[in-house]
Amino acid sequence: MTRYNVASTDEFDGDGERILVEVDGLEIAVFRVDGEYYALTNYCVHQGGPLCEGKLTGKMSVGDDGVSWEYEEDERYVICPWHEWKFDVTTGRNVSDERYLTPTFEVIVEGDAIYVVR
Amino acid sequence: MKNKTVDRISSVEDLEIIVDADAHVIETLDDLLPYVEDTGSKEILSHSNNEAMDIYSNQFPTPGFIDRSYDVDDLADKLEQMSDFGISAGMVGPTMSLNIASVSNANLAGALAQAYNSWVLDQWLDGSDALNGSILVTHHNPERSADEIDDRADEPSMRGVYLPGTGVVPPLGHYRYKPIYEAADRHDLPILSHASISAGHRSFPVQSRWNETYAEEHALVHPFTQMWNITTLLFRGVPEQYPNLDFVFQEAGIAWIPYLLWRLDDHYLQFGDEIPYLNKLPSEYVRDQFHFTTQPLGHTTTNGAHLAQIIDMIGPDSIMYSADLPHTDFDPPAELFNRIRSNFDAETVRGIMGETAVKLYNLDC
């Protein structure tokens, strides 16, 4: 395993920001969510689309009546621009079927430096 | 699927249990009238001149080419016909009342369902261990339907809740039907949904105004009915809300089901934010809680491998043989058996031909 210095925290204006980097030939995105950094492959396991270039959104859940919709605004879900498959960037798991998993990488922050471990 | 080393059943005669999971009785308005308990509805119903028009709102594009009346219209004839085809048990449903969703008036619809249930018990089910049936309810007044289920659930030969599916607006996934699903769940009775030609002429999924033949109407109304009801039930999370409730879809054949399941799984993965009710893929709810009866298989030619592949895709445990006797588009047992016998092991074939129905409905065979 190797640590790659991929970015500085200064490059992120706040939560919901992302950077795309190439690490040893692989495109990886680093997202900032709730002050934490998460790295995952820019590759959708559905059909190979550029997953991490999609929109970051919240998620829908069901209201107490079992019918109504409630929007969870916590924006940590990326939607693939190809077919709208949706993954939790903090875990890499598909929201509708967690058996679909995007490869994720450990992120280490030391001072201003962000490292991805691969 | 195919494994040449496992047990096979070589002949349909070797099956001990064959269940027609979608059998029918033939009822007329005159049969039901003496059984109507609601005196007001009974009076109104007795004035009918043409029940297809002034009670029901049925319509066919054409009269068809032959008169489709049925000789098998009593218990003795029914049992004889089942015996002729080697069928050991039947889950019966109605014929005229298949179109009960097309009745305009909710009181009349409820009265007809009540009368049918009393009549079918008295004239058919009480007289034979080989026949079981389901409590007919209507979509008009779900609370009344729940009462009908509560009233009949202790009848030993009532093994399900019969909720006809064609002409039902809004469709079966709508939350207004909660009392019906709760009652069925309370009594551990599966929901059976059966399509029917002519009930849909003024509502989606098939409006016969633009179908010019009986053939066009009949080809489309059955699968379209089930596709709409299944899609709304799944996408609105009904099986998720009632994880112990089973659903049975009748008389639409089965070859379209893999296509629909692929489509629904795909849409769930793409449009999941509109469908937050589910915790697994739509096809997994189908695997766990839905059943389908096989008739009409269609013109399957003789390559059973194609049909077997379709059954394998749906899940063999969800498939139950049905004849649809005495209706004229019935499938005899051999039509299904001959196409699947060499493609599944003996246990799977026995399940499809009858034992899955025995288990689902707790039949005594």
Side-chain angles (χ1 to χ4, degrees), chain B residues 58-226:
Chain B
N58 294 346
Q59 183 175 310
F60 293 109
T62 76
F65 188 67
I66 59 165
D67 174 21
R68 291 188 188 86
S69 59
Y70 301 102
D71 296 334
V72 180
D73 59 0
D74 67 21
L75 177 60
D77 288 349
K78 177 83 186 165
L79 295 174
E80 189 184 336
Q81 189 178 50
M82 287 166 63
S83 174
D84 289 346
F85 283 98
I87 294 170
S88 35
M91 274 296 289
V92 301
T95 294
M96 177 183 78
S97 309
L98 284 172
N99 294 322
I100 203 158
S102 82
V103 174
S104 293
N105 184 279
N107 284 335
L108 298 187
L112 285 166
Q114 170 273 311
Y116 168 83
N117 291 327
S118 298
W119 171 82
V120 77
L121 283 164
D122 189 34
Q123 298 290 324
W124 299 76
L125 305 184
D126 289 349
S128 169
D129 293 336
L131 296 184
N132 286 281
S134 304
I135 304 162
L136 176 65
V137 297
T138 85
H139 75 293
H140 300 71
N141 180 342
E143 283 75 20
R144 179 172 179 165
S145 293
D147 290 343
E148 184 75 20
I149 296 166
D150 287 336
D151 289 347
R152 307 280 186 181
D154 289 339
E155 288 285 353
S157 52
M158 288 299 202
R159 305 296 172 96
V161 171
Y162 207 89
L163 181 58
T166 303
V168 175
V169 179
L172 295 183
H174 198 273
Y175 59 81
R176 74 188 296 272
Y177 303 124
K178 213 170 169 177
I180 296 175
Y181 301 135
E182 281 176 354
D185 192 40
R186 186 157 62 238
H187 298 291
D188 199 22
L189 294 170
I191 297 279
L192 292 77
S193 187
H194 193 295
S196 60
I197 184 169
S198 85
H201 84 269
R202 61 180 180 179
S203 58
F204 189 86
V206 175
Q207 285 136 7
S208 57
R209 181 179 176 191
W210 302 112
N211 284 331
E212 294 197 356
T213 59
Y214 185 98
E216 288 175 13
E217 176 93 351
H218 194 267
L220 298 176
V221 72
H222 289 264
F224 280 17
T225 291
Q226 305 294 29

Side-chain angles (χ1 to χ4, degrees), chain A residues 60-71, chain B residues 175 273-274 276-277:
Chain A
M60 205 68 82
S61 65
V62 188
D64 290 339
D65 60 2
V67 177
S68 61
W69 294 337
E70 284 181 4
Y71 185 60
Chain B
Y175 59 81
D273 281 305
E274 285 189 333
Y277 311 105

Side-chain angles (χ1 to χ4, degrees), chain A residues 60 67 69 83-84 86 99, chain B residues 268-270 273 276-277 284:
Chain A
M60 205 68 82
V67 177
W69 294 337
H83 304 99
E84 303 177 29
K86 188 169 183 176
R99 288 168 297 194
Chain B
Y268 173 58
L269 287 161
Q270 180 161 7
D273 281 305
Y277 311 105
E284 293 175 306

